[in-house]
Every structure is written in C-alpha cells, then in structure tokens.
C-alpha cells in the first residue's frame, strides 16, 4: 500500500513516518511532495530513498500536482506539516484518504492561521490543563474533517509555548505512524 506525504518544513513527522514504514512488507512511503524548495524534509526523504516532488502554488491549483499524485497510485495521502489549504480536486479524487495532523484538540484551536507556535500560545494563554493531537480527515475547510484519533497530554506545568509544543510534538511522533498503519488496514 502506497503512502504519499506532503510536508512544508522540517518534517519531523514525515521523518518518523518514513522511518516507521522503512522495512514494512505491505506498506511503503512512495513519495514526498513539498511546496518548499528549502524544506528540511527533503534531506530526510533522500536519507530514506523516498522520491520528492517540489511544486508551486500554480501547479497545485492547476491540477498538475493531482496528475503527479495519481502516478504514484496512493492508498493514503498524509499531510504532515503542510501549511497550505489542500485543493478540493485532490480531496475529491481521494475521498476518505487524505488525512492531517493538528497539534491541538480540535475543534479547539483550529482554522486558518492556527498552526505551529500560535496554537500553543493560545493554549497557554487560556490556561488549559491539557492539550494534545488530532488526526483527522481533510475536507474543504481548515481542520474541520472527521476526527480519526485524539490523544491528550497535561500541560498545566508548562511555562512557555515552546514547552507545550515540545510535549505535543512528542505525541505526534509517538502516534501518527501507528494511526496511519491502522487506517491502511481498511483502505
Ligand atoms: C506539527 O506541529 C504538526 O502538528 C503540524 O505541523 C507541524 C509539523 O512539524 N501539522 P514537522 O514539520 O513534522 O516537524
């Protein structure tokens, strides 16, 4: 079963996923797509021998990325730190097969602009006792697709947003690959 990753930045989640599936018999990460020619994740993909595709906003919105995607015959499309809104033609082409991870307990702290440290700042300012991760299906609205998996972590002892970010990122690394594998059993 073919896994396609989309990432825009450092790609620590993408790296965990490539590592997790590196020696699995029935699953493989077959390509990594990125909108960022300087994404740190490109080096990580090379390390795992995963082919990479760098694309522009025009190519994404003109359907060129969808064409390229089809050529890999994906069973699942995983957004792992992909910061642009995902185009509806790709979502429509792969119903129930495009997933994303969000570093908070959706529906709280979701939506356009709520990514990265902004999320953790808001959690801290609201003095929430816990935060966590949400893995969800992607639909045409930011962070609103059906929830697949959530996991919470206590953050009341965190002093800075970076503390919260670190704790949540560890959850992402711990759970995202396994949740993908479990989903693939049904796809
Ligand atoms: C993570 O916080 C993830 O929740 C969000 O973007 C960030 C990606 O981090 N979608 P990395 O690029 O995987 O390190």
């Amino acid at each position: 079963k073919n896994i396609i990753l989309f990432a825009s930045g450092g790609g620590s989640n993408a790296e965990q996923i490539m590592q997790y599936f590196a020696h699995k018999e029935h699953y493989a990460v077959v390509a990594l797509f990125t909108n960022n020619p300087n994404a740190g994740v490109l080096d990580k993909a090379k390390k795992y021998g995963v082919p990479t595709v760098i694309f522009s906003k025009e190519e994404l919105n003109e359907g060129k990325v969808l064409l390229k995607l089809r050529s890999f015959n994906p069973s699942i499309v995983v957004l792992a730190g992909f910061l642009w809104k995902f185009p509806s033609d790709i979502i429509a082409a792969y119903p129930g097969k495009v997933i994303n991870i969000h570093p908070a307990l959706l529906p709280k702290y979701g939506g356009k602009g709520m990514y990265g440290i902004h999320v953790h700042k808001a959690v801290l300012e609201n003095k929430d006792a816990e935060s966590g991760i949400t893995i969800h299906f992607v639909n045409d609205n930011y962070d609103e697709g059906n929830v697949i998996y959530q996991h919470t972590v206590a953050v009341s002892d965190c002093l800075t947003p970076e503390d919260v970010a670190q704790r949540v990122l560890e959850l992402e690394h711990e759970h995202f690959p396994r949740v993908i594998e479990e989903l693939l059993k049904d796809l």
Side-chain angles (χ1 to χ4, degrees), residues 1 3 5 13-30 48 76 78 176-185:
K1 299 208 171 163
I3 302 163
L5 302 177
N13 275 289
E15 181 177 28
Q16 292 294 320
I17 295 164
M18 289 187 284
Q19 183 178 4
Y20 184 89
F21 288 100
H23 305 295
K24 293 261 180 205
E25 201 177 331
H26 302 295
Y27 309 101
V29 177
V30 294
Y48 287 95
I76 194 166
V78 177
F176 204 6
R178 190 196 70 255
V179 169
I180 292 167
E181 185 176 30
E182 280 161 18
L183 265 177
L184 278 170
K185 290 194 172 83

Side-chain angles (χ1 to χ4, degrees), residues 132-179:
I133 59 172
T134 303
I135 298 169
H136 62 96
F137 289 107
V138 172
N139 66 17
D140 289 334
N141 307 311
Y142 270 105
D143 300 327
E144 286 183 10
N146 291 344
V147 172
I148 298 165
Y149 179 78
Q150 285 193 310
H151 198 100
T152 63
V153 64
V155 292
S156 48
D157 59 322
C158 289
L159 299 175
T160 66
E162 287 71 23
D163 292 342
V164 179
Q166 175 58 39
R167 226 170 264 184
V168 172
L169 194 62
E170 278 166 20
L171 276 192
E172 299 177 41
H173 294 170
E174 186 188 343
H175 296 285
F176 204 6
R178 190 196 70 255
V179 169

